[in-house]
Amino acid sequence: MKKKRLLTFAESINEAQIQAMKLDKNVFIFGLGVEKTGHVFKTTLGIKKKFSSKRIFESPNSEMALTTMAAGAANSHLRPILIHHRVDFMAYTFDQLVNWISLWSFKSSGKSSMPLVIRAIIGRGWGQGPQHAKTLHSMFSYLPGLTTVMPSSPSEAKGLLLSSIMSNDPVIFLEYRALFNTKEHVPEEPYFIELGDVRHRLLGDDITVVAMGPAVLTAIKAQDICKNKITFDLFDLRVMSNYKLNKILKSLKKTKKLLCVEDGWGSGSTSSELISKIVESGVELSEPPVKITWPSSHVPMSNPLEKDFYFDERNIVKAAEKLAKIKI
Amino acid sequence: MKNFQKNLYHQLLYIRRVQEEISNRYHPADNMKCPMHFCMGQEIGPAALSSFLRPGDAILSHHRSHGYFLANKGSLNEMIAEFHGKETGTNGGLAGSQELSCTKTHFYSGTILSGAFGMSLGDAFSKVYKNENNITISVIGDGGMEEGICSETLNMAILYKLPILFICENNKYSTHTKLNERTEYQNVSDRIKGYKIESHLFNSNDPEKLYMLLKNLTSKIRKTKKPIFLEIMTYRFNGHVGPEGDDHYNYRSKAERDLWSKKDPLKVYRKKLDKKFGIKFKNFENKILNDINKKIDRSFAFALKSSFAKVYKKYNYQNTYHKSVKKFFNNDISFNKDQEDHRPMPY
């Protein structure tokens, strides 16, 4: 049997962009450093050579105007991909997201659209500290009209990015830094993942675990530790709002236990909203739902504190033991 | 009378009359339940520009947008219906005056207005990308120009060589705060030169002069694909917002208001044409005034008989994809087999 092709998360994103650019000549990439040294964690490597400087080009440090440039281009039927090396720089662009991009389709009563993608690198790195390690996905998901995507693995990243680029709605595509070197089998042909379709990731009977982005991998590691003693029915949310709840509700009818795992602050989080939706649905739980998130604090740089700040698979195992009332 | 003079006067009068009628009919009927920023006194820009707009051009405007909307051949029926919150409105009744837009005529505006200034970059970029000979008009005021995004936008417009005509209508007030309380410079165009953008200051109430200038500037932009900045010194006769007037707050002196009222481009131009063409002009004016008034009456009748907007939630998302998306990949795990391959390596 032929060995299946493995790609890293970064290679998958690279391939998705190249394939999107082949599928539609209106797709282009811009941002600061997209064609320089690191090539955005190698995700834009080789694109200029394959296409031209018309399709991928450098920009000044002007996040606000860059975002409106993407908006204006998208309104004129191009499909821009704007890249920020850190999501923290997107704070400059609050006006563009809140007052323009997210409400563009709405205020035209659907006559205008904004098919753009803003890629931003989020999360944990080597002592990145309070201005370089945020995730902010829940903040973006508060806005109607915007779709916030956080992929969890290479194959997911490829399908979700292709769909994000080809979606006629604006998408914020958040890439967790620590995932860039993870490897997985990724099909070669272009494929699309429906934005809003929650992925059933692991089959289990004891606890419904909902995660997104890097937390999916952490949950899988926790399942490895639990072996067969506690099994997770694991779901990857993929999209932070406007997802279909049916698969999760069906699972909860079986397990009656909910554990949410999220790399981000807990208050007003995607998990909080998910729990609220589940409670509103009336599905009965046997235990109160549990949420594992970052503490309500900015991210410390100092290494021991940083280790303390982030949760890992052991925190998930502990929570699972409590929920399932089983000791591993 | 030459054709261009007829068009120019017609546009000036049309924009003024529409505003007057909206103001007159706003209260006590209260059928138009949205804030409005009138542009009476500031018609010279849109009126002079209107002759040089081509169907593929786009305008991104500030919130004082009625003049530019009409100059860009926006439908008066749809504009008045929009103010009434009707589904036949140009935004389907969901935006009102402050964010008046029209997808088919490429007209967009907003009240957090410097964002529209920035969006002109992408609009113009798409024209270059698609090799079109169209241009983008970006309209802003002296207040909006103080936002940081404008500095970024000007730099990128010249860096990427984008065909944009930036028009800054300097009416000296940001709501009620005068320019000299906000900046050391009194002319926005002074500080544009530093970006290496060609800039012009227009300080006159002669519509024909502005017409000639805009003729040159628009054709130059189409040819060179480079941005040009034009500052027009102007004055708003009405209050900042609404038909009520706000001069009782005494934020601007009576002497200043009287001076500008005397310089009203519509009044001055009318006098000039009257003097030059006499009865010919009078006949022309009577005819277009009659047409304009009828058109306004028809637009209000259209708005009143239209239905209110009924739906809104579904418009937040298009929920559609590019034609290349024919089916979706289902990778809900095939349990027990291939599990290894689907598992990312630990980091």
Side-chain angles (χ1 to χ4, degrees):
Chain A
M1 204 175 114
K2 206 179 141 196
K3 200 163 178 267
K4 283 187 172 173
R5 185 180 74 135
L6 294 181
L7 286 191
T8 66
F9 194 84
E11 287 162 346
S12 293
I13 288 172
N14 184 268
E15 186 169 278
Q17 290 173 127
I18 290 169
Q19 291 182 345
M21 289 169 89
K22 280 184 187 156
L23 285 168
D24 184 355
K25 64 180 187 321
N26 289 330
V27 177
F28 70 96
I29 299 173
F30 70 122
L32 186 76
V34 295
E35 244 311 305
K36 296 290 172 211
T37 328
H39 291 89
V40 199
F41 301 87
K42 296 185 187 159
T43 58
T44 54
L45 202 65
I47 292 183
K48 190 172 173 180
K49 215 171 149 192
K50 271 203 173 63
F51 298 91
S52 68
S53 55
K54 181 187 171 185
R55 309 281 302 271
I56 180 165
F57 54 89
E58 287 297 315
S59 79
N61 282 302
S62 303
E63 286 78 8
M64 292 185 270
L66 289 171
T67 309
T68 49
M69 178 158 152
N75 180 53
S76 303
H77 314 297
L78 299 187
R79 291 184 182 270
I81 303 172
L82 169 60
I83 307 179
H84 300 290
H85 272 76
R86 295 286 183 281
V87 77
D88 315 73
F89 288 102
M90 280 182 74
Y92 281 117
T93 70
F94 205 53
D95 168 54
Q96 290 75 57
L97 300 174
V98 172
N99 290 317
W100 300 91
I101 292 170
S102 66
L103 51 70
W104 201 249
S105 168
F106 172 80
K107 80 163 181 181
S108 71
S109 63
K111 290 177 216 160
S112 293
S113 62
M114 201 135 273
L116 59 84
V117 173
I118 300 174
R119 284 183 50 205
I121 283 67
I122 57 171
R124 185 176 191 172
W126 179 258
Q128 294 281 320
Q131 279 195 351
H132 255 27
K134 291 190 270 293
T135 47
L136 299 184
H137 56 285
S138 300
M139 213 154 118
F140 298 128
S141 73
Y142 184 68
L143 288 168
L146 215 53
T147 302
T148 308
V149 178
M150 198 185 343
S152 61
S153 78
S155 71
E156 285 284 297
K158 178 172 169 183
L160 286 169
L161 184 54
L162 269 160
S163 293
S164 299
I165 297 168
M166 295 308 174
S167 162
N168 291 329
D169 288 307
V171 175
I172 294 180
F173 195 85
L174 301 174
E175 300 155 24
Y176 201 87
R177 201 178 162 197
L179 288 176
F180 274 116
N181 293 324
T182 59
K183 274 187 189 167
E184 189 183 26
H185 165 60
V186 178
E188 242 173 293
E189 72 284 357
Y191 58 92
F192 305 92
I193 292 173
E194 189 178 1
L195 301 177
D197 181 29
V198 172
R199 183 186 182 193
H200 199 169
R201 187 67 183 79
L202 292 177
L203 182 65
D205 294 320
D206 302 320
I207 303 172
T208 302
V209 180
V210 184
M212 65 224 71
V216 175
L217 181 58
T218 319
I220 292 169
K221 288 190 206 161
Q223 174 66 92
D224 285 349
I225 297 172
C226 293
K227 298 212 173 75
N228 299 331
K229 289 183 188 156
I230 307 171
T231 56
F232 296 170
D233 218 18
L234 175 64
F235 293 87
D236 179 352
L237 213 50
R238 289 172 166 161
V239 168
M240 301 306 112
S241 56
N242 278 5
Y243 44 79
K244 294 179 202 155
L245 207 54
N246 53 342
K247 287 181 195 172
I248 297 173
L249 292 179
K250 200 174 154 201
S251 164
L252 283 167
K253 278 179 194 147
K254 173 175 72 178
T255 66
K256 301 200 182 307
K257 294 178 194 72
L258 173 66
L259 172 60
C260 297
V261 194
E262 174 172 356
D263 284 274
W265 296 309
S267 300
S269 64
T270 302
S271 301
S272 303
E273 178 56 25
L274 176 71
I275 291 170
S276 156
K277 280 193 172 86
I278 287 166
V279 170
E280 283 167 343
S281 80
V283 67
E284 259 182 66
L285 300 178
S286 64
E287 302 292 325
V290 176
K291 197 167 76 175
I292 297 178
T293 61
W294 291 354
S296 271
S297 160
H298 285 286
V299 185
M301 184 284 292
S302 175
N303 190 262
L305 291 178
E306 192 186 44
K307 273 187 186 150
D308 181 64
F309 179 88
Y310 296 107
F311 61 80
D312 65 14
E313 53 273 25
R314 283 164 304 193
N315 301 78
I316 300 175
V317 172
K318 221 180 271 171
E321 286 177 325
K322 222 173 139 193
L323 265 176
K325 300 193 173 75
I326 292 173
K327 200 92 186 116
I328 303 294
Chain B
M1 267 178 96
K2 287 185 181 150
N3 265 344
F4 89 92
Q5 291 170 316
K6 284 184 181 173
N7 286 339
L8 198 48
Y9 187 71
H10 185 274
Q11 281 293 325
L12 282 165
L13 190 65
Y14 175 45
I15 298 169
R16 176 71 57 89
R17 281 294 302 134
V18 168
Q19 313 244 8
E20 283 173 348
E21 277 311 306
I22 298 169
S23 281
N24 294 342
R25 301 183 197 203
Y26 199 93
H27 297 309
D30 292 343
N31 288 324
M32 295 175 277
K33 294 184 174 64
C34 65
M36 272 188 216
H37 301 81
F38 295 101
C39 65
M40 281 182 267
Q42 300 188 190
E43 297 93 342
I44 186 168
L49 179 69
S50 66
S51 301
F52 310 111
L53 293 169
R54 294 186 187 168
D57 295 344
I59 299 187
L60 289 124
S61 168
H62 53 44
H63 57 317
R64 210 171 289 292
S65 63
H66 303 171
Y68 286 96
F69 179 88
L70 296 173
N72 191 43
K73 300 184 180 66
S75 152
L76 182 62
N77 277 3
E78 290 179 18
M79 175 170 127
I80 300 296
E82 180 61 30
F83 299 165
H84 284 75
K86 299 299 178 76
E87 63 185 7
T88 51
T90 177
N91 297 65
L94 301 185
S97 163
Q98 302 196 104
E99 297 181 47
L100 192 65
S101 308
C102 180
T103 308
K104 56 183 186 237
T105 58
H106 315 295
F107 180 89
Y108 308 98
S109 74
T111 185
I112 311 298
L113 47 105
S114 306
F117 191 76
M119 271 183 67
S120 63
L121 290 171
D123 191 82
F125 177 82
S126 76
K127 291 171 167 47
V128 176
Y129 194 93
K130 295 180 202 160
N131 228 346
E132 295 171 356
N133 196 26
N134 300 317
I135 64 172
T136 306
I137 315 289
S138 176
V139 191
I140 197 163
D142 51 300
M145 275 306 292
E146 286 156 16
E147 301 287 353
I149 190 172
C150 297
S151 172
E152 298 185 353
T153 300
L154 292 166
N155 179 49
M156 281 166 62
I158 187 72
L159 177 74
Y160 294 140
K161 301 198 173 36
L162 301 176
I164 307 174
L165 173 62
F166 293 109
I167 296 178
C168 173
E169 296 184 324
N170 185 347
N171 67 11
K172 287 167 278 302
Y173 290 88
S174 177
T175 311
H176 294 166
T177 309
K178 202 169 181 174
L179 190 60
N180 64 10
E181 295 175 78
R182 299 171 357 239
T183 67
E184 281 295 315
Y185 62 79
Q186 290 307 294
N187 282 117
V188 183
S189 47
D190 282 351
R191 70 177 173 96
I192 304 307
K193 297 179 180 83
Y195 295 99
K196 311 277 183 209
I197 292 180
E198 177 180 331
S199 89
H200 298 261
L201 173 64
F202 183 81
N203 193 1
S204 156
N205 59 353
D206 183 349
E208 290 189 7
K209 265 194 197 157
L210 186 57
Y211 177 93
M212 294 316 291
L213 179 61
L214 282 168
K215 185 179 183 177
N216 289 337
L217 299 187
T218 49
S219 72
K220 189 169 178 184
I221 295 168
R222 282 185 216 282
K223 208 152 62 193
T224 63
K225 312 278 178 213
K226 275 192 198 165
I228 295 178
F229 190 95
L230 168 65
E231 177 178 20
I232 300 173
M233 300 308 286
T234 184
Y235 204 73
R236 110 177 111 67
F237 297 156
N238 44 265
H240 163 69
V241 62
E244 295 89 357
D246 52 16
D247 285 319
H248 55 285
Y249 292 114
N250 290 324
Y251 65 96
R252 48 186 193 177
S253 72
K254 185 164 185 309
E256 182 185 282
R257 281 183 275 138
D258 288 347
L259 176 75
W260 282 91
S261 174
K262 229 191 286 172
K263 292 203 299 184
D264 177 5
L266 178 65
K267 246 194 267 175
V268 171
Y269 197 42
R270 183 175 190 275
K271 223 176 180 173
K272 184 181 161 184
L273 293 175
D274 192 24
K275 202 173 152 194
K276 210 166 167 187
F277 301 105
I279 186 76
K280 266 190 188 160
F281 169 70
K282 279 204 182 77
N283 288 342
F284 167 72
E285 189 187 33
N286 284 339
K287 184 180 178 309
I288 59 167
L289 191 58
N290 193 28
D291 289 349
I292 289 169
N293 289 340
K294 273 192 199 151
K295 192 172 174 178
I296 295 171
D297 283 342
R298 278 199 306 269
S299 69
F300 274 88
F302 172 79
L304 288 171
K305 76 162 196 279
S306 294
S307 306
F308 280 108
K310 290 178 198 71
V311 290
Y312 62 96
K313 289 179 195 158
K314 69 170 184 181
Y315 296 132
N316 282 291
Y317 293 90
Q318 299 274 321
N319 279 324
T320 53
Y321 292 87
H322 181 265
K323 60 178 190 291
S324 62
V325 183
K326 292 190 181 76
K327 60 173 182 141
F328 290 112
F329 184 68
N330 183 349
N331 60 349
D332 270 351
I333 47 163
S334 45
F335 308 104
N336 303 325
K337 61 176 186 178
D338 281 352
Q339 192 62 48
E340 272 324 298
D341 285 349
H342 282 274
R343 189 169 304 187
M345 307 270 278
Y347 55 85

